[in-house]
Amino acid sequence: MAGMAKRDNHYEAAFEEFLRCHHIPYVAVDEKKRALLGNASLKSLDFIISTPRGASWLVDVKGRRFPAGEQKQYWKNWSTQDDVRSLTAWQSLFGPSFSGLFVFAYEVVGDRAPVPAAKLFERSGRLYGFVGITLSDYAVRAHRISAAWDTLAMPTREFRSAAAPVEEFFCPADPPPMAPEPAVSFFSAW
């Protein structure tokens, strides 16, 4: 297992601590420079994870609030076309034993959560719910939401159907407890 990387992004830092707490082997990727592939540059992925279940994942973490914005929107799952293109290229470069995975790290800021309360993870006074979706599922279902920002997203119903709590991708059948039950009662929006 790698040592903690210096992470300015609290979503990525929380996810890395989650990995450490669950003894999931990983490599944190230095994101300061983009990699070159021919004449094109690739956005760096965030983690390379080898799980006790034998799967190997190339992970790009997407931090979002739950709910987000003044309209209190849930299940925001946008990414950029560059995110999808780069993760696809990494998956191709690493070969068939590696799969791309988007991890949506939702900071829970309301009274609903993207995962059951027992699966919430606390770090530095913040609660997170980590939800994963494979690159293959995301890429075929996402559609453009902004040409100006070159962003994509999946319809909420499809995202909720295809995504799962990250424990289903990384953890053994009986994972250790993640965090004490929060004092606040959460309604899971899953």
Side-chain angles (χ1 to χ4, degrees), residues 18-25 49-55 57 119 165-178:
F18 167 87
L19 294 173
R20 291 175 60 84
C21 288
H22 286 81
H23 308 287
I24 299 168
I49 297 174
S50 176
T51 71
R53 292 185 173 177
W57 298 99
K119 293 183 186 240
V166 294
E167 291 85 352
E168 293 184 24
F169 296 95
F170 303 141
C171 296
D174 296 318
M178 285 208 218

Side-chain angles (χ1 to χ4, degrees), residues 108-113 115-118 120 125 127 180-188:
V108 178
V109 295
D111 59 355
R112 298 167 91 192
V115 297
L120 291 173
L127 284 176
E181 281 290 321
V184 177
S185 169
F186 283 94
F187 169 77
S188 176

Side-chain angles (χ1 to χ4, degrees), residues 94-115:
F94 273 78
S97 61
F98 287 84
S99 298
L101 185 73
F102 285 115
V103 170
F104 285 85
Y106 290 109
E107 180 189 4
V108 178
V109 295
D111 59 355
R112 298 167 91 192
V115 297

